[in-house]
Amino acid sequence: MNNIQFIAKSVQTAAINIQKTVELLQEDCTIPFISRYRKDTTGNLDEVQIEQIAKLQKEYDAIVKRKEAILKSIEEQKALSPELEKKIQQSFDLQELEDFYLPFKKKKKTKADVARENGLEPLAKIIMAQNNDDVDFMASKYLNDNVINEDAALQGARDIIAEWINENIFVRKQLRRLFQRKASITTKVVKTKKDEDGAQKFSQYFDWSEPLSKAPSHRLLAMLRAENEGFIKFKIEVDIDEAYDIIDELILKGQNSTTPHVQLAIEDSYKRLLHPAISNETLQEAKAKADANSIQVFANNLSQLLLAPPLGEKRILAIDPGFRSGCKVVCLDEKGDLLYNETIYPHAPQNESAMAMKKIRSMVNAYNIDAISIGNGTASRETEFFIKKIAFDRPVQVFIVSEAGASVYSASKIAREEFPNYDVTVRGSVSIGRRLSDPLAELVKIDPKAIGVGQYQHDVDQNKLKEELDNTVVRCVNSVGININTASKHLLSYVSGIGEKLAENIVNYRSENGPFQDRKQLKKVPRLGDKAYQQGVAFIRISNAKNPLDNSAVHPEAYPIVEKMAKDLKLSVNELIANKEKTALIQSEKYITPEIGLLGLKDIIKELEKPGLDPRKSAKVFEFDPNVKTIKDLKSGMILPGIVNNITNFGCFVDIGIKESGLVHISQLKAGFVSDVNEVVKLHQHVQVKVSEVDEDRKRIQLTMVI
């Protein structure tokens, strides 16, 4: 099986599309570039499909590498038969390959090894053949200084047989199937830990059992966390008689005096070797699926968060609210640069409300503020009420902004580089303001795990999580495009083909030479070669450039085509752009080239109609219920406005303007069955919810959207 056939088993598209995509990836083309500018080559595969092809190619390469290592190891042991070599070469299942390798794997000295050293392997072969009736007599022939009687000889022979059964590829395959279909997970509380702090949140798992295949990802990860923290113990089990029946069927040949010894070896092999190995394998497989599920939930949430509506280039006053320590206030210009900062104390214990109002009015007027951004943490609602009491001389919109991750950013190296002369409180406030004007540009500076929009993100495979979240950030940044003259190096580093070092070089070049005038100028950036230029140039935007196409998603390789289109219509490129009447006259077939076919041309025409259009919607003002300030104000039956602030597999959490978010269980999202939460709600969506239950002691709020 070659790599294309291997990938084709999982990706539903023609083999030629897979082959062309793999070739482009091997030429160091990026996924955003391939999906956007090589549609005709790949058969219009989207980013997700191309990412899947890239992952499967890596998986194929890993399997080939593992095969080579296994074959080399067995060959060095002079144990590689032509039949075994053929089986290994034909297998593309890592688990099966490990089963083939198991008898040859170097391991600690086993009971079977000791028995072999004592000369008992021939006796084990006689018993395993199951055609000799006088086992005790045969055993007496193998006595020596280390094997003092027949029982010891038979025990040693059974140890060897148990190992053979454990290494039997058919036994392992059949037991795996049994575990995959019928394994249950059973948990018991560790009594000595039952009353410790933190134990109660896992109380439902103190005595729990369910089929492993039906345990949802969030529940399995919760059980694993409870076990890691020492609150519970769990087992992965199947019906032991069913397991024995499977092994008996494959090993036993009939009834004679050897049968009881083989049966004892089967029981020993299952309990001591097979069950621990295969139950652990099954758990790891279930954990991998749960990880993948949880990672996907996080990636979907992150994508929605990064693509949240931006307010745009506005002057913003941002407030990081607080009580005793005061509210940290910053004023930012249209580009997000810090103009001024101050601390006000409108709340208890200082209660300097009048002075704080005067200062806010003064800042709004002095810095021509268009909008106010308030962090949604401690004292958020109180600060919102305070701000709304102020009579401004100009219209000012007020927004509540998620401050998740702002404190992580404010203490980071990135923040220190940006604001070396300011403390963490000022940096945190700047982040709250900037994430209103452009969430994408600001949130790329924060480790996605710190943004807090996942489920059990600290319990999943961290390498896979990082890879998926990095892919998500890249996808989002390149779907929007970036202004090269205002983008930070952190935002630039996610642009197709650029990376961290080139991003730094671009920012340094910009500092030394002033704003970029056109896309060609990118080629003058140190170390930015033809490949990086090809991959990244179309994802950057230059507003007010000489060539209007430099502020669009049209790739420079297609500029001659656009110029020809305009010429054929007797127009300039400027006159063609945003001219729907004229673009409708373009006959795509006339402009096909070896590199750009109909799919690419369709994208070009679409871009000409609305060049550089930001795919994100505009930010909207939202108001919470003014009568609800704490959990004590909630009553069952209340209908409240809210904002979806996290999505999980089991429902969504909604911010209703107090410290605690409420849970809308998946069954309460709408009337009727819901299989996927994302079908009903999106992150930051404005929703109406009804309070169904309030548990003040545990600070839990149950909500419903079935009103």
Side-chain angles (χ1 to χ4, degrees), residues 78-97:
K78 297 187 169 41
L80 187 62
S81 67
E83 186 189 6
L84 179 58
E85 183 176 9
K86 187 179 178 185
K87 282 179 180 175
I88 291 170
Q89 290 288 16
Q90 288 178 343
S91 176
F92 280 85
D93 180 328
L94 271 177
Q95 220 161 39
E96 186 177 61
L97 287 168

Side-chain angles (χ1 to χ4, degrees), residues 398-432:
V398 180
F399 295 85
I400 304 294
V401 173
S402 169
E403 58 182 54
S407 59
V408 173
Y409 160 77
S410 63
S412 70
K413 184 184 173 202
I414 296 170
R416 290 196 299 275
E417 284 174 2
E418 282 193 282
F419 300 104
N421 302 320
Y422 294 94
D423 68 14
V424 290
T425 60
V426 174
R427 297 174 198 151
S429 303
V430 171
S431 182
I432 288 167

Side-chain angles (χ1 to χ4, degrees), residues 504-523:
E504 199 171 319
N505 292 354
I506 289 170
V507 170
N508 291 341
Y509 181 88
R510 192 173 70 195
S511 300
E512 291 163 16
N513 300 281
F516 284 84
Q517 302 299 315
D518 60 38
R519 281 173 166 172
K520 284 180 194 166
Q521 209 177 336
L522 257 184
K523 291 184 176 180

